[in-house]
Amino acid sequence: MPRPITATIHPEAVRHNLERVRQAVPDAKLWSVIKANAYGHGIENVFEGLRATDGFAMLDLDEAQRVRNLGWRGPILLLEGVFELRDLEICSRLGIWHAVHCDEQIDWLAAHKTQVGHRVFLKMNSGMNRLGFTPERFRAAYARLNALPQVDEISFMTHFSDADVEHGMDHQLRVFHETTLDLPGERSISNSAATLLHGDENNVRCDWVRPGIVLYGSSPDFPTHDAAHWGLEPTMTLSSKIIGTQELHAGDTVGYGSRFQCDGPLRLGVVACGYADGYPRVCPTGTPVLVDGVRTRTLGRVSMDMMAVDLSPVPKARLGSEVTLWGRASNGVVLPIDEVAAAAGTLGYELMCAVAPRVLKVVEGAGK
Ligand SMILES: *Cc1c(COP(=O)(O)O)cnc(C)c1O
């Protein structure tokens, strides 16, 4: 038997979460963002759940190729555009749309020999200061692109730095709209947070939204609102088993550094999960965890392959008992990934992306 740790992917939950986005912005087209191998879920594992999308957006050409291999004939968008001139050949061949965020990418297009007109999303740096043309340089870039025979259609995009904060998008929205006001073309501005929190507002409404994290069941503004508030379901369950137990007495300590000390008798379970599986080492004593679907807490330091949990609330737990690190337990109880992430001082994004390759991924319902 392999080590009992598993990441179970729930395609029905992915489908449900996509539908939630649809309801939030019924008139917009959806770019389902599947970068980072679908936020750690595996593109192939979520593809069926995302069938009802209007397009797929990612960063890597090989991920785009994988989506085409799955039979997707609809739109595909490279959010960072291409990384060198040769990449444009693959875009031509596979009909991939791509962002254009810098002069070099326009130079490559101008030098690219193609029969196929490219569809591009001209990206504005409206204040995030990551990728894109500043508002001052945006219209010149548009004019250059517009003059190229290689370019068939130009759309406009920008990305928010503070969509989860009240009025956090105001400044970026203003410069984006001011700069693109009279330019013809589709617009794409909203990530998950902008879509769910503000998608129905007039100046936020756009042709294409770009939801990522909400498709994977994390709240875009945790802890203000949790995933249940937004009607999102967990798409990944990280589960393992109890592989050992210990009966502790007052004064006993647990794990490396003896970071936890008992003040009375306590039954401890050892779980086959550690930081080498992608569970954050920084999670302190008290991080929530489910044993047989009952909420309890971690004890002491997370080590490479194991961690300890408090079995006091689950007296029946024994060797082989189910442990849910995040996601949905067999009895239906949910431990939101956002809660575990918060205990680690990070976001659900990082946890789902960090699940280690040695963790077996299983697709719920597959092979039935
Ligand atoms: C990752 C990404 C998104 C999706 O962001 P979420 O917060 O996961 O919804 C949208 N647009 C761009 C450009 C991105 O890089």
Side-chain angles (χ1 to χ4, degrees):
M1 183 183 166
R3 244 175 111 245
I5 187 162
T6 308
T8 305
I9 311 301
H10 310 294
E12 279 307 316
V14 176
R15 193 187 318 274
H16 167 90
N17 295 338
L18 182 75
E19 184 53 34
R20 280 289 300 120
V21 179
R22 213 33 113 193
Q23 289 165 358
V25 286
D27 300 325
K29 289 179 277 188
L30 312 182
W31 286 120
S32 289
V33 179
I34 54 166
K35 64 190 178 191
N37 200 19
Y39 290 46
H41 289 61
I43 288 176
E44 288 74 10
N45 299 334
V46 299
F47 179 72
E48 283 304 323
L50 294 174
R51 272 243 180 235
T53 191
D54 299 291
F56 288 99
M58 74 288 284
L59 311 180
D60 287 296
L61 264 178
D62 84 282
E63 290 185 338
Q65 183 117 42
R66 278 160 63 195
V67 175
R68 283 281 182 252
N69 290 347
L70 288 164
W72 178 255
R73 296 183 184 284
I76 292 180
L77 175 65
L78 294 179
L79 292 167
E80 294 179 347
V82 297
F83 302 104
E84 60 172 338
L85 198 158
R86 277 194 318 185
D87 293 346
L88 290 172
E89 289 166 24
I90 305 174
C91 291
S92 293
R93 182 154 49 79
L94 298 178
I96 293 168
W97 308 4
H98 48 98
V100 171
H101 65 74
C102 63
D103 289 309
E104 290 79 355
Q105 289 181 330
I106 304 182
D107 297 339
W108 297 334
L109 266 169
H112 176 48
K113 295 185 178 51
T114 178
Q115 311 298 318
V116 191
H118 283 223
R119 292 204 50 166
V120 301
F121 274 68
L122 182 59
K123 179 151 187 175
M124 185 187 299
N125 170 14
S126 57
M128 172 90 161
N129 287 315
R130 217 167 52 174
L131 297 180
F133 293 94
T134 57
E136 298 70 40
R137 303 201 41 241
F138 193 78
R139 296 181 70 98
Y142 172 80
R144 258 196 92 195
L145 268 182
N146 199 30
L148 293 182
Q150 291 89 342
V151 174
D152 187 34
E153 194 171 328
I154 305 171
S155 306
F156 308 106
M157 68 186 286
T158 195
H159 193 58
F160 297 120
S161 54
D162 298 88
D164 53 338
V165 175
E166 197 65 29
H167 298 295
M169 315 187 322
D170 291 359
H171 172 72
Q172 289 186 263
L173 276 172
R174 191 167 350 99
V175 292
F176 180 77
H177 288 314
E178 274 172 16
T179 312
T180 61
L181 193 61
D182 56 336
L183 298 179
E186 293 190 322
R187 271 101 170 127
S188 176
I189 56 178
S190 298
N191 57 4
S192 290
T195 301
L196 285 198
L197 276 70
H198 305 286
D200 58 347
E201 294 167 20
N202 257 331
N203 58 343
V204 183
R205 210 168 283 142
C206 60
D207 302 290
W208 289 90
V209 294
R210 304 189 305 271
I213 195 68
V214 289
L215 302 176
Y216 309 101
S218 240
S219 169
D221 65 343
F222 190 84
T224 308
H225 299 107
D226 62 11
H229 167 89
W230 294 113
L232 302 169
E233 291 181 4
T235 58
M236 177 195 283
T237 296
L238 185 66
S239 60
S240 186
K241 287 183 175 166
I242 300 285
I243 60 167
T245 59
Q246 302 289 343
E247 304 287 342
L248 306 184
H249 307 98
D252 288 349
T253 62
V254 175
Y256 288 122
S258 302
R259 297 286 279 248
F260 175 78
Q261 185 167 37
C262 294
D263 49 18
L266 183 153
R267 199 156 157 264
L268 167 155
V270 178
V271 184
C273 175
Y275 61 79
D277 299 300
Y279 191 93
R281 181 176 177 276
V282 295
C283 281
T285 291
T287 301
V289 57
L290 306 177
V291 176
D292 282 338
V294 176
R295 204 176 159 103
T296 180
R297 56 175 182 153
T298 64
L299 298 175
R301 264 209 183 123
V302 174
S303 51
M304 184 186 274
D305 313 299
M306 287 176 271
M307 53 194 277
V309 296
D310 184 352
L311 297 182
S312 313
V314 215
K316 288 202 179 113
R318 55 186 174 78
L319 209 80
S321 287
E322 175 193 79
V323 178
T324 308
L325 288 319
W326 62 69
R328 191 183 294 276
S330 297
N331 69 353
V333 171
V334 168
L335 173 58
I337 192 170
D338 296 322
E339 281 193 44
V340 182
T346 184
L347 305 172
Y349 293 81
E350 189 176 354
L351 266 53
M352 49 181 88
C353 290
V355 172
R358 79 175 188 183
V359 175
L360 182 71
K361 284 202 190 83
V362 175
V363 180
E364 186 182 31
K368 270 190 196 150

